[in-house]
Amino acid sequence: MADHLAVLNMPIEALQRSHTVTSFEPFTLLSALSVVTEKIGLVATASTTFDEPYHVARRFASLDHLSSGRAAWNIVTTANPESAKNFGLEEHVDHAERYKRAREFYEVVTGLWDSFADDAFASRSQESGIYFDPSKLHVLDHKGDNLRVRGPLNIARPVQGWPVIVQAGQSEPGKQLAAETAEAVFCSPKDINAAKELYEDIKGRAEQYGRNRDHLKILPAALVIVGDTVQQAKEKRLKLDSLVHYDSAIASLSIALGSDASGFDPDAPLPEDIPDTNASKTGRAGVIKLAKDEGLTVRQLAQRYGGYAGLAFVGTPQSIADEMEEWLDKGAADGFTITFPFIPEGIDDVTQKLVPELQKRGLFRTEYEGTTLREHLGLPRPNNRFFS
Amino acid sequence: MADHLAVLNMPIEALQRSHTVTSFEPFTLLSALSVVTEKIGLVATASTTFDEPYHVARRFASLDHLSSGRAAWNIVTTANPESAKNFGLEEHVDHAERYKRAREFYEVVTGLWDSFADDAFASRSQESGIYFDPSKLHVLDHKGDNLRVRGPLNIARPVQGWPVIVQAGQSEPGKQLAAETAEAVFCSPKDINAAKELYEDIKGRAEQYGRNRDHLKILPAALVIVGDTVQQAKEKRLKLDSLVHYDSAIASLSIALGSDASGFDPDAPLPEDIPDTNASKTGRAGVIKLAKDEGLTVRQLAQRYGGYAGLAFVGTPQSIADEMEEWLDKGAADGFTITFPFIPEGIDDVTQKLVPELQKRGLFRTEYEGTTLREHLGLPRPNNRFFS
């Protein structure tokens, strides 16, 4: 679940068309969903820029207990400059500083999750009145450059040990953070070659930190549109794109660029002199590349971003399975983060048409192999760093 | 739902017997409960000392939407000195400063809840592509002594306008905060005379602020133990008290005092020279008063606190209804916050035995009169301060 800590900064003509102005706060919504679902993972975005590690560690631990081990943390820095103003700051925190704090924040949160040994409560007994074994409680006492947090956390170790760590930034420090910390990477490579490069880059870096490359799953976002024929699927996509209002489209382009694009000439190419900002650098570079690669006008580019500008598999169950198999075989992905074009039909197309084809090829499980999100993703349960 | 932002500071012999070392984070637990319950109110404690108003406003708004209008905010300052160390501070924030920040925090949170007019989304239309009316969005732009928060909040106005404001502090600044802001007061008066005094005090102060005294409900905490005879109920209470382990008892006394009581002579009176701390002043004064009033030893006092030291109605449904009626008639309470001695029997005793007796006397509704917590409590829905 993506998240923003502000109403996004857009021209009012675009803002009034944007559903992003109102959304549930992730922990409340995912906690509600935890008790009415049994299998799905619950990935909450939580910012390391404008929150406290004690709060974040606690909420994830709580969600992991409520969901019997299905929580995951999409660890982000907050790039939207408007957010700073909602948290007492006039100037936005610098990109590099945000990532330094994020790295330390991660150390503190995971350290807090390890406050109790897994068996700290095993000795609980009505007879003795003992609730837990104090020798199995660790006081973190972290004192770092950005954070001072004593601990211990006031909740038992999460069911998964740690909720799964998910990361999505693709800037240089973003990839570095992923290599050091992430267990699943949500990314948006443009094509299979870009994906292979990213895959090797992040896994290579992870190995330099002594990590097992299989314990870091690269899961590109992929829009899946299924038709009875490839032609029918393509027509479905064209229909969907045509429904995007231009005002929304140009707003999406503004967000992707981190700059207001509403003054650009819609029928000219993207201007060369877009002002630099502290917002996400990766997104911005991607827009400029897409515009150049495909020679799009501002209008065409905006309509692409107003719809879905990332990786898309558009075809029959067989053609899509072929493409996915190629990505998996060639070391471009360990799986995909499926984006449904609309619901419920988009979900049904995947579960009822695409998944059976993937199962036939041995590319998808036929039964759940465990109960936690970690187990669904084939990730090991982390040891407690303070207790063996 | 009470809350702590730390593992409470107790001697290890007591800590190992304390269930408080692990608990769900309130917003996650109450959100989970919101989708499996229909009528109960969901009162989350949220600290104004170590959190940000933007986060707090958002989570409550989200919980209020998820629960269709059953959220309430127990607004607190964080008194536990150990908490400061989990949020980067070595010294605890001073009592008076905490209340100043709390008052401003309340202004910001309620202002953020009013970011959107109630009908801001009424014009939403597939045809026009318009999602909301931008003239019905207000930017708070708060700049105060303690907080700078721009807004607007990125979620629609709560179902209840504002979640119900609950307050529990009984120190001088605590009562002041209640008078200015609270719609329900959770309190622990020792007896009906103390309750009448508190009732008049808080309602009198509220009227000085131009508030309607009926829009502030005084709801003392009351342990209810029901028996077939008064004698049987009293025996039930004695049995329950006898089950409290002395190590837990002394720990509870330490918390109530804000000082480690484990070194005190168990069979002597409470020492005169207990060191002063920044922890809750009201609790401390209450302990000292109870010890003096009833001439209790440290052991007796500890066992009372290890069980339940507050107001208790112990008797038959008739005798308890008599007592409650007296409290309501004499202006000591608008209702009660029932504390169940154990579950499920304690709840069943109230719902199946006490409530019918109260209904017979016209003291309790026989049907729900609305759907929101505000409606259950007979509280008006707040107007939006920025939109009429």
Side-chain angles (χ1 to χ4, degrees), chain A residues 3-4 16-17 28 50 55 58-59 62 85-86 128 131 151 154, chain B residues 3-4 16-17 28 50 55 58 62 86 128 131 150-151 154:
Chain A
D3 195 37
H4 302 288
Q16 69 182 344
R17 298 180 187 280
T28 53
F50 299 118
H55 287 315
R58 219 182 146 207
R59 271 180 236 129
S62 196
K85 296 179 185 158
N86 291 332
S128 66
Y131 193 74
N154 57 351
Chain B
D3 195 36
H4 302 289
Q16 69 183 343
R17 298 179 187 282
T28 52
F50 299 118
H55 288 315
R58 219 182 145 208
S62 196
N86 291 332
S128 66
Y131 193 73
R150 186 167 178 275
N154 56 353

PDB file of all heavy atoms in Angstrom, chain A residues 3-4 16-17 28 50 55 58-59 62 85-86 128 131 151 154, chain B residues 3-4 16-17 28 50 55 58 62 86 128 131 150-151 154:
ATOM      1  N   ASP A   3       1.846   5.250   0.042  1.00  0.00           N
ATOM      2  CA  ASP A   3       1.390   6.223   1.018  1.00  0.00           C
ATOM      3  C   ASP A   3       2.001   7.590   0.748  1.00  0.00           C
ATOM      4  O   ASP A   3       3.090   7.706   0.198  1.00  0.00           O
ATOM      5  CB  ASP A   3       1.746   5.773   2.437  1.00  0.00           C
ATOM      6  CG  ASP A   3       0.980   6.558   3.488  1.00  0.00           C
ATOM      7  OD1 ASP A   3      -0.191   6.867   3.224  1.00  0.00           O
ATOM      8  OD2 ASP A   3       1.541   6.859   4.544  1.00  0.00           O
ATOM      9  N   HIS A   4       1.263   8.613   1.140  1.00  0.00           N
ATOM     10  CA  HIS A   4       1.740   9.992   1.068  1.00  0.00           C
ATOM     11  C   HIS A   4       1.452  10.661   2.402  1.00  0.00           C
ATOM     12  O   HIS A   4       0.463  10.356   3.044  1.00  0.00           O
ATOM     13  CB  HIS A   4       1.022  10.758  -0.041  1.00  0.00           C
ATOM     14  CG  HIS A   4       1.184  10.147  -1.386  1.00  0.00           C
ATOM     15  ND1 HIS A   4       2.379  10.184  -2.078  1.00  0.00           N
ATOM     16  CD2 HIS A   4       0.328   9.457  -2.165  1.00  0.00           C
ATOM     17  CE1 HIS A   4       2.232   9.543  -3.224  1.00  0.00           C
ATOM     18  NE2 HIS A   4       0.997   9.090  -3.313  1.00  0.00           N
ATOM     19  N   GLN A  16      -8.313  18.509  -8.328  1.00  0.00           N
ATOM     20  CA  GLN A  16      -9.734  18.204  -8.166  1.00  0.00           C
ATOM     21  C   GLN A  16     -10.127  16.894  -8.863  1.00  0.00           C
ATOM     22  O   GLN A  16     -11.204  16.375  -8.615  1.00  0.00           O
ATOM     23  CB  GLN A  16     -10.593  19.357  -8.683  1.00  0.00           C
ATOM     24  CG  GLN A  16     -10.541  19.517 -10.187  1.00  0.00           C
ATOM     25  CD  GLN A  16     -11.357  20.702 -10.683  1.00  0.00           C
ATOM     26  OE1 GLN A  16     -12.183  21.227  -9.966  1.00  0.00           O
ATOM     27  NE2 GLN A  16     -11.106  21.102 -11.924  1.00  0.00           N
ATOM     28  N   ARG A  17      -9.238  16.397  -9.716  1.00  0.00           N
ATOM     29  CA  ARG A  17      -9.510  15.113 -10.387  1.00  0.00           C
ATOM     30  C   ARG A  17      -8.737  13.964  -9.755  1.00  0.00           C
ATOM     31  O   ARG A  17      -8.762  12.845 -10.275  1.00  0.00           O
ATOM     32  CB  ARG A  17      -9.107  15.212 -11.864  1.00  0.00           C
ATOM     33  CG  ARG A  17      -9.892  16.259 -12.615  1.00  0.00           C
ATOM     34  CD  ARG A  17      -9.499  16.346 -14.066  1.00  0.00           C
ATOM     35  NE  ARG A  17     -10.169  17.476 -14.682  1.00  0.00           N
ATOM     36  CZ  ARG A  17     -11.434  17.470 -15.093  1.00  0.00           C
ATOM     37  NH1 ARG A  17     -12.138  16.368 -14.999  1.00  0.00           N
ATOM     38  NH2 ARG A  17     -11.971  18.550 -15.606  1.00  0.00           N
ATOM     39  N   THR A  28      -4.012   1.383   9.732  1.00  0.00           N
ATOM     40  CA  THR A  28      -5.408   1.162  10.111  1.00  0.00           C
ATOM     41  C   THR A  28      -6.097   0.273   9.067  1.00  0.00           C
ATOM     42  O   THR A  28      -6.756  -0.701   9.424  1.00  0.00           O
ATOM     43  CB  THR A  28      -6.164   2.497  10.271  1.00  0.00           C
ATOM     44  OG1 THR A  28      -5.988   3.282   9.092  1.00  0.00           O
ATOM     45  CG2 THR A  28      -5.655   3.281  11.471  1.00  0.00           C
ATOM     46  N   PHE A  50       9.736  11.190   8.437  1.00  0.00           N
ATOM     47  CA  PHE A  50       8.891  11.971   9.344  1.00  0.00           C
ATOM     48  C   PHE A  50       8.180  11.112  10.380  1.00  0.00           C
ATOM     49  O   PHE A  50       7.042  11.396  10.759  1.00  0.00           O
ATOM     50  CB  PHE A  50       7.876  12.799   8.553  1.00  0.00           C
ATOM     51  CG  PHE A  50       8.524  13.784   7.638  1.00  0.00           C
ATOM     52  CD1 PHE A  50       8.349  13.706   6.262  1.00  0.00           C
ATOM     53  CD2 PHE A  50       9.338  14.788   8.149  1.00  0.00           C
ATOM     54  CE1 PHE A  50       8.964  14.620   5.422  1.00  0.00           C
ATOM     55  CE2 PHE A  50       9.957  15.702   7.317  1.00  0.00           C
ATOM     56  CZ  PHE A  50       9.771  15.615   5.945  1.00  0.00           C
ATOM     57  N   HIS A  55       7.732   4.056  17.128  1.00  0.00           N
ATOM     58  CA  HIS A  55       6.351   3.922  16.637  1.00  0.00           C
ATOM     59  C   HIS A  55       6.272   2.918  15.481  1.00  0.00           C
ATOM     60  O   HIS A  55       5.366   2.088  15.427  1.00  0.00           O
ATOM     61  CB  HIS A  55       5.832   5.268  16.113  1.00  0.00           C
ATOM     62  CG  HIS A  55       5.528   6.280  17.170  1.00  0.00           C
ATOM     63  ND1 HIS A  55       4.837   5.987  18.319  1.00  0.00           N
ATOM     64  CD2 HIS A  55       5.803   7.614  17.230  1.00  0.00           C
ATOM     65  CE1 HIS A  55       4.698   7.098  19.049  1.00  0.00           C
ATOM     66  NE2 HIS A  55       5.283   8.084  18.412  1.00  0.00           N
ATOM     67  N   ARG A  58       6.804  -0.709  16.490  1.00  0.00           N
ATOM     68  CA  ARG A  58       5.673  -1.197  17.258  1.00  0.00           C
ATOM     69  C   ARG A  58       4.461  -1.518  16.392  1.00  0.00           C
ATOM     70  O   ARG A  58       3.802  -2.545  16.552  1.00  0.00           O
ATOM     71  CB  ARG A  58       5.281  -0.060  18.202  1.00  0.00           C
ATOM     72  CG  ARG A  58       4.905  -0.506  19.519  1.00  0.00           C
ATOM     73  CD  ARG A  58       4.488   0.683  20.339  1.00  0.00           C
ATOM     74  NE  ARG A  58       3.445   0.205  21.188  1.00  0.00           N
ATOM     75  CZ  ARG A  58       2.483   0.933  21.681  1.00  0.00           C
ATOM     76  NH1 ARG A  58       2.430   2.219  21.431  1.00  0.00           N
ATOM     77  NH2 ARG A  58       1.563   0.391  22.425  1.00  0.00           N
ATOM     78  N   ARG A  59       4.178  -0.612  15.455  1.00  0.00           N
ATOM     79  CA  ARG A  59       3.003  -0.829  14.605  1.00  0.00           C
ATOM     80  C   ARG A  59       3.183  -2.060  13.717  1.00  0.00           C
ATOM     81  O   ARG A  59       2.248  -2.843  13.545  1.00  0.00           O
ATOM     82  CB  ARG A  59       2.761   0.407  13.730  1.00  0.00           C
ATOM     83  CG  ARG A  59       1.878   1.402  14.406  1.00  0.00           C
ATOM     84  CD  ARG A  59       1.644   2.613  13.521  1.00  0.00           C
ATOM     85  NE  ARG A  59       2.048   3.778  14.274  1.00  0.00           N
ATOM     86  CZ  ARG A  59       2.868   4.717  13.839  1.00  0.00           C
ATOM     87  NH1 ARG A  59       3.340   4.679  12.609  1.00  0.00           N
ATOM     88  NH2 ARG A  59       3.194   5.708  14.622  1.00  0.00           N
ATOM     89  N   SER A  62       2.853  -5.164  15.797  1.00  0.00           N
ATOM     90  CA  SER A  62       1.448  -5.361  16.142  1.00  0.00           C
ATOM     91  C   SER A  62       0.672  -5.923  14.945  1.00  0.00           C
ATOM     92  O   SER A  62      -0.094  -6.887  15.077  1.00  0.00           O
ATOM     93  CB  SER A  62       0.879  -4.013  16.600  1.00  0.00           C
ATOM     94  OG  SER A  62      -0.324  -4.162  17.288  1.00  0.00           O
ATOM     95  N   LYS A  85       6.335  20.317   5.348  1.00  0.00           N
ATOM     96  CA  LYS A  85       5.550  21.395   5.965  1.00  0.00           C
ATOM     97  C   LYS A  85       4.470  20.875   6.912  1.00  0.00           C
ATOM     98  O   LYS A  85       3.957  21.620   7.734  1.00  0.00           O
ATOM     99  CB  LYS A  85       4.906  22.260   4.882  1.00  0.00           C
ATOM    100  CG  LYS A  85       5.946  22.970   4.028  1.00  0.00           C
ATOM    101  CD  LYS A  85       5.306  23.796   2.939  1.00  0.00           C
ATOM    102  CE  LYS A  85       6.394  24.383   2.041  1.00  0.00           C
ATOM    103  NZ  LYS A  85       5.875  24.741   0.722  1.00  0.00           N
ATOM    104  N   ASN A  86       4.112  19.606   6.783  1.00  0.00           N
ATOM    105  CA  ASN A  86       3.143  19.024   7.718  1.00  0.00           C
ATOM    106  C   ASN A  86       3.817  18.513   8.992  1.00  0.00           C
ATOM    107  O   ASN A  86       3.141  18.064   9.915  1.00  0.00           O
ATOM    108  CB  ASN A  86       2.374  17.889   7.039  1.00  0.00           C
ATOM    109  CG  ASN A  86       1.439  18.414   5.960  1.00  0.00           C
ATOM    110  OD1 ASN A  86       0.975  19.551   6.041  1.00  0.00           O
ATOM    111  ND2 ASN A  86       1.181  17.598   4.942  1.00  0.00           N
ATOM    112  N   SER A 128       3.299 -19.769  38.958  1.00  0.00           N
ATOM    113  CA  SER A 128       4.393 -18.939  39.478  1.00  0.00           C
ATOM    114  C   SER A 128       4.071 -17.448  39.380  1.00  0.00           C
ATOM    115  O   SER A 128       4.711 -16.640  40.047  1.00  0.00           O
ATOM    116  CB  SER A 128       5.665 -19.208  38.675  1.00  0.00           C
ATOM    117  OG  SER A 128       5.493 -18.758  37.332  1.00  0.00           O
ATOM    118  N   TYR A 131       5.429 -13.922  33.965  1.00  0.00           N
ATOM    119  CA  TYR A 131       4.856 -13.627  32.650  1.00  0.00           C
ATOM    120  C   TYR A 131       5.877 -13.821  31.530  1.00  0.00           C
ATOM    121  O   TYR A 131       5.531 -14.202  30.425  1.00  0.00           O
ATOM    122  CB  TYR A 131       4.321 -12.200  32.654  1.00  0.00           C
ATOM    123  CG  TYR A 131       3.441 -11.867  31.481  1.00  0.00           C
ATOM    124  CD1 TYR A 131       2.146 -12.363  31.407  1.00  0.00           C
ATOM    125  CD2 TYR A 131       3.908 -11.069  30.444  1.00  0.00           C
ATOM    126  CE1 TYR A 131       1.333 -12.074  30.333  1.00  0.00           C
ATOM    127  CE2 TYR A 131       3.097 -10.763  29.363  1.00  0.00           C
ATOM    128  CZ  TYR A 131       1.812 -11.276  29.306  1.00  0.00           C
ATOM    129  OH  TYR A 131       1.005 -10.977  28.237  1.00  0.00           O
ATOM    130  N   GLY A 151      14.821   1.664  23.893  1.00  0.00           N
ATOM    131  CA  GLY A 151      14.173   0.360  23.940  1.00  0.00           C
ATOM    132  C   GLY A 151      14.032  -0.087  25.378  1.00  0.00           C
ATOM    133  O   GLY A 151      14.343   0.677  26.294  1.00  0.00           O
ATOM    134  N   ASN A 154       7.857  -2.564  23.416  1.00  0.00           N
ATOM    135  CA  ASN A 154       6.873  -3.124  24.344  1.00  0.00           C
ATOM    136  C   ASN A 154       5.883  -4.074  23.667  1.00  0.00           C
ATOM    137  O   ASN A 154       4.680  -4.015  23.907  1.00  0.00           O
ATOM    138  CB  ASN A 154       6.153  -1.995  25.099  1.00  0.00           C
ATOM    139  CG  ASN A 154       5.492  -1.008  24.166  1.00  0.00           C
ATOM    140  OD1 ASN A 154       5.698  -1.070  22.956  1.00  0.00           O
ATOM    141  ND2 ASN A 154       4.712  -0.097  24.716  1.00  0.00           N
TER     142      ASN A 154
ATOM    143  N   ASP B   3      -2.471   3.008  26.907  1.00  0.00           N
ATOM    144  CA  ASP B   3      -1.269   2.780  26.101  1.00  0.00           C
ATOM    145  C   ASP B   3      -0.036   3.297  26.828  1.00  0.00           C
ATOM    146  O   ASP B   3      -0.097   4.235  27.620  1.00  0.00           O
ATOM    147  CB  ASP B   3      -1.396   3.479  24.745  1.00  0.00           C
ATOM    148  CG  ASP B   3      -0.359   2.970  23.771  1.00  0.00           C
ATOM    149  OD1 ASP B   3      -0.049   1.768  23.813  1.00  0.00           O
ATOM    150  OD2 ASP B   3       0.145   3.765  22.959  1.00  0.00           O
ATOM    151  N   HIS B   4       1.090   2.648  26.534  1.00  0.00           N
ATOM    152  CA  HIS B   4       2.387   3.087  27.036  1.00  0.00           C
ATOM    153  C   HIS B   4       3.359   3.113  25.867  1.00  0.00           C
ATOM    154  O   HIS B   4       3.266   2.292  24.962  1.00  0.00           O
ATOM    155  CB  HIS B   4       2.910   2.121  28.098  1.00  0.00           C
ATOM    156  CG  HIS B   4       1.988   1.975  29.260  1.00  0.00           C
ATOM    157  ND1 HIS B   4       1.807   2.978  30.181  1.00  0.00           N
ATOM    158  CD2 HIS B   4       1.171   0.967  29.635  1.00  0.00           C
ATOM    159  CE1 HIS B   4       0.919   2.582  31.087  1.00  0.00           C
ATOM    160  NE2 HIS B   4       0.511   1.372  30.774  1.00  0.00           N
ATOM    161  N   GLN B  16       8.885  -9.020  35.589  1.00  0.00           N
ATOM    162  CA  GLN B  16       8.685 -10.363  35.025  1.00  0.00           C
ATOM    163  C   GLN B  16       7.269 -10.890  35.274  1.00  0.00           C
ATOM    164  O   GLN B  16       6.864 -11.869  34.671  1.00  0.00           O
ATOM    165  CB  GLN B  16       9.718 -11.331  35.587  1.00  0.00           C
ATOM    166  CG  GLN B  16       9.522 -11.643  37.061  1.00  0.00           C
ATOM    167  CD  GLN B  16      10.604 -12.556  37.616  1.00  0.00           C
ATOM    168  OE1 GLN B  16      11.310 -13.193  36.864  1.00  0.00           O
ATOM    169  NE2 GLN B  16      10.701 -12.611  38.935  1.00  0.00           N
ATOM    170  N   ARG B  17       6.545 -10.216  36.159  1.00  0.00           N
ATOM    171  CA  ARG B  17       5.160 -10.618  36.432  1.00  0.00           C
ATOM    172  C   ARG B  17       4.151  -9.698  35.746  1.00  0.00           C
ATOM    173  O   ARG B  17       2.956  -9.836  35.945  1.00  0.00           O
ATOM    174  CB  ARG B  17       4.896 -10.582  37.941  1.00  0.00           C
ATOM    175  CG  ARG B  17       5.759 -11.543  38.708  1.00  0.00           C
ATOM    176  CD  ARG B  17       5.507 -11.477  40.198  1.00  0.00           C
ATOM    177  NE  ARG B  17       6.482 -12.315  40.895  1.00  0.00           N
ATOM    178  CZ  ARG B  17       6.407 -13.643  40.973  1.00  0.00           C
ATOM    179  NH1 ARG B  17       5.375 -14.268  40.444  1.00  0.00           N
ATOM    180  NH2 ARG B  17       7.345 -14.326  41.583  1.00  0.00           N
ATOM    181  N   THR B  28      -3.694  -0.320  15.469  1.00  0.00           N
ATOM    182  CA  THR B  28      -3.766  -1.573  14.728  1.00  0.00           C
ATOM    183  C   THR B  28      -4.850  -2.474  15.337  1.00  0.00           C
ATOM    184  O   THR B  28      -5.686  -3.005  14.614  1.00  0.00           O
ATOM    185  CB  THR B  28      -2.399  -2.287  14.726  1.00  0.00           C
ATOM    186  OG1 THR B  28      -1.921  -2.408  16.060  1.00  0.00           O
ATOM    187  CG2 THR B  28      -1.377  -1.522  13.897  1.00  0.00           C
ATOM    188  N   PHE B  50       4.940  12.595  22.242  1.00  0.00           N
ATOM    189  CA  PHE B  50       5.941  11.981  21.374  1.00  0.00           C
ATOM    190  C   PHE B  50       5.366  11.544  20.029  1.00  0.00           C
ATOM    191  O   PHE B  50       5.772  10.529  19.476  1.00  0.00           O
ATOM    192  CB  PHE B  50       6.595  10.789  22.086  1.00  0.00           C
ATOM    193  CG  PHE B  50       7.311  11.186  23.344  1.00  0.00           C
ATOM    194  CD1 PHE B  50       6.923  10.693  24.570  1.00  0.00           C
ATOM    195  CD2 PHE B  50       8.370  12.091  23.284  1.00  0.00           C
ATOM    196  CE1 PHE B  50       7.587  11.078  25.730  1.00  0.00           C
ATOM    197  CE2 PHE B  50       9.033  12.481  24.436  1.00  0.00           C
ATOM    198  CZ  PHE B  50       8.639  11.973  25.663  1.00  0.00           C
ATOM    199  N   HIS B  55       0.131  12.821  11.880  1.00  0.00           N
ATOM    200  CA  HIS B  55      -0.062  11.364  11.989  1.00  0.00           C
ATOM    201  C   HIS B  55      -1.297  11.030  12.824  1.00  0.00           C
ATOM    202  O   HIS B  55      -2.079  10.145  12.470  1.00  0.00           O
ATOM    203  CB  HIS B  55       1.141  10.720  12.678  1.00  0.00           C
ATOM    204  CG  HIS B  55       2.391  10.663  11.858  1.00  0.00           C
ATOM    205  ND1 HIS B  55       2.402  10.269  10.549  1.00  0.00           N
ATOM    206  CD2 HIS B  55       3.681  10.929  12.184  1.00  0.00           C
ATOM    207  CE1 HIS B  55       3.652  10.297  10.088  1.00  0.00           C
ATOM    208  NE2 HIS B  55       4.448  10.702  11.064  1.00  0.00           N
ATOM    209  N   ARG B  58      -4.601  11.823  11.141  1.00  0.00           N
ATOM    210  CA  ARG B  58      -4.851  10.918  10.035  1.00  0.00           C
ATOM    211  C   ARG B  58      -5.322   9.553  10.493  1.00  0.00           C
ATOM    212  O   ARG B  58      -6.263   8.969   9.952  1.00  0.00           O
ATOM    213  CB  ARG B  58      -3.512  10.743   9.324  1.00  0.00           C
ATOM    214  CG  ARG B  58      -3.633  10.697   7.890  1.00  0.00           C
ATOM    215  CD  ARG B  58      -2.261  10.483   7.293  1.00  0.00           C
ATOM    216  NE  ARG B  58      -2.486   9.669   6.143  1.00  0.00           N
ATOM    217  CZ  ARG B  58      -1.621   8.836   5.629  1.00  0.00           C
ATOM    218  NH1 ARG B  58      -0.420   8.742   6.149  1.00  0.00           N
ATOM    219  NH2 ARG B  58      -1.938   8.121   4.593  1.00  0.00           N
ATOM    220  N   SER B  62      -8.926   7.901   9.816  1.00  0.00           N
ATOM    221  CA  SER B  62      -8.986   6.624   9.102  1.00  0.00           C
ATOM    222  C   SER B  62      -9.773   5.593   9.928  1.00  0.00           C
ATOM    223  O   SER B  62     -10.651   4.892   9.390  1.00  0.00           O
ATOM    224  CB  SER B  62      -7.543   6.155   8.856  1.00  0.00           C
ATOM    225  OG  SER B  62      -7.477   5.147   7.892  1.00  0.00           O
ATOM    226  N   ASN B  86      12.960   6.609  24.486  1.00  0.00           N
ATOM    227  CA  ASN B  86      12.649   5.905  23.235  1.00  0.00           C
ATOM    228  C   ASN B  86      12.428   6.872  22.077  1.00  0.00           C
ATOM    229  O   ASN B  86      12.228   6.453  20.940  1.00  0.00           O
ATOM    230  CB  ASN B  86      11.419   5.014  23.424  1.00  0.00           C
ATOM    231  CG  ASN B  86      11.713   3.845  24.346  1.00  0.00           C
ATOM    232  OD1 ASN B  86      12.855   3.387  24.425  1.00  0.00           O
ATOM    233  ND2 ASN B  86      10.697   3.369  25.053  1.00  0.00           N
ATOM    234  N   SER B 128     -17.733  13.996 -15.351  1.00  0.00           N
ATOM    235  CA  SER B 128     -16.851  15.167 -15.394  1.00  0.00           C
ATOM    236  C   SER B 128     -15.415  14.824 -15.016  1.00  0.00           C
ATOM    237  O   SER B 128     -14.493  15.589 -15.295  1.00  0.00           O
ATOM    238  CB  SER B 128     -17.360  16.222 -14.406  1.00  0.00           C
ATOM    239  OG  SER B 128     -17.236  15.743 -13.074  1.00  0.00           O
ATOM    240  N   TYR B 131     -13.310  14.834  -8.757  1.00  0.00           N
ATOM    241  CA  TYR B 131     -13.304  13.965  -7.584  1.00  0.00           C
ATOM    242  C   TYR B 131     -13.786  14.701  -6.347  1.00  0.00           C
ATOM    243  O   TYR B 131     -14.397  14.108  -5.463  1.00  0.00           O
ATOM    244  CB  TYR B 131     -11.888  13.422  -7.368  1.00  0.00           C
ATOM    245  CG  TYR B 131     -11.812  12.292  -6.394  1.00  0.00           C
ATOM    246  CD1 TYR B 131     -12.276  11.017  -6.733  1.00  0.00           C
ATOM    247  CD2 TYR B 131     -11.281  12.475  -5.129  1.00  0.00           C
ATOM    248  CE1 TYR B 131     -12.209   9.971  -5.837  1.00  0.00           C
ATOM    249  CE2 TYR B 131     -11.207  11.430  -4.221  1.00  0.00           C
ATOM    250  CZ  TYR B 131     -11.679  10.182  -4.577  1.00  0.00           C
ATOM    251  OH  TYR B 131     -11.609   9.146  -3.684  1.00  0.00           O
ATOM    252  N   ARG B 150       1.210  22.595   8.167  1.00  0.00           N
ATOM    253  CA  ARG B 150       0.549  23.289   7.065  1.00  0.00           C
ATOM    254  C   ARG B 150      -0.821  22.693   6.722  1.00  0.00           C
ATOM    255  O   ARG B 150      -1.790  23.410   6.559  1.00  0.00           O
ATOM    256  CB  ARG B 150       1.458  23.253   5.834  1.00  0.00           C
ATOM    257  CG  ARG B 150       0.913  24.074   4.688  1.00  0.00           C
ATOM    258  CD  ARG B 150       1.975  24.267   3.627  1.00  0.00           C
ATOM    259  NE  ARG B 150       1.456  25.014   2.503  1.00  0.00           N
ATOM    260  CZ  ARG B 150       0.798  24.477   1.487  1.00  0.00           C
ATOM    261  NH1 ARG B 150       0.577  23.182   1.461  1.00  0.00           N
ATOM    262  NH2 ARG B 150       0.356  25.230   0.495  1.00  0.00           N
ATOM    263  N   GLY B 151      -0.904  21.364   6.593  1.00  0.00           N
ATOM    264  CA  GLY B 151      -2.130  20.759   6.088  1.00  0.00           C
ATOM    265  C   GLY B 151      -2.229  20.960   4.590  1.00  0.00           C
ATOM    266  O   GLY B 151      -1.297  21.475   3.996  1.00  0.00           O
ATOM    267  N   ASN B 154      -4.841  14.531   4.400  1.00  0.00           N
ATOM    268  CA  ASN B 154      -5.125  13.804   3.156  1.00  0.00           C
ATOM    269  C   ASN B 154      -6.165  12.692   3.344  1.00  0.00           C
ATOM    270  O   ASN B 154      -6.008  11.584   2.853  1.00  0.00           O
ATOM    271  CB  ASN B 154      -3.828  13.262   2.554  1.00  0.00           C
ATOM    272  CG  ASN B 154      -3.048  12.387   3.529  1.00  0.00           C
ATOM    273  OD1 ASN B 154      -3.408  12.296   4.697  1.00  0.00           O
ATOM    274  ND2 ASN B 154      -2.004  11.752   3.052  1.00  0.00           N
TER     275      ASN B 154
END
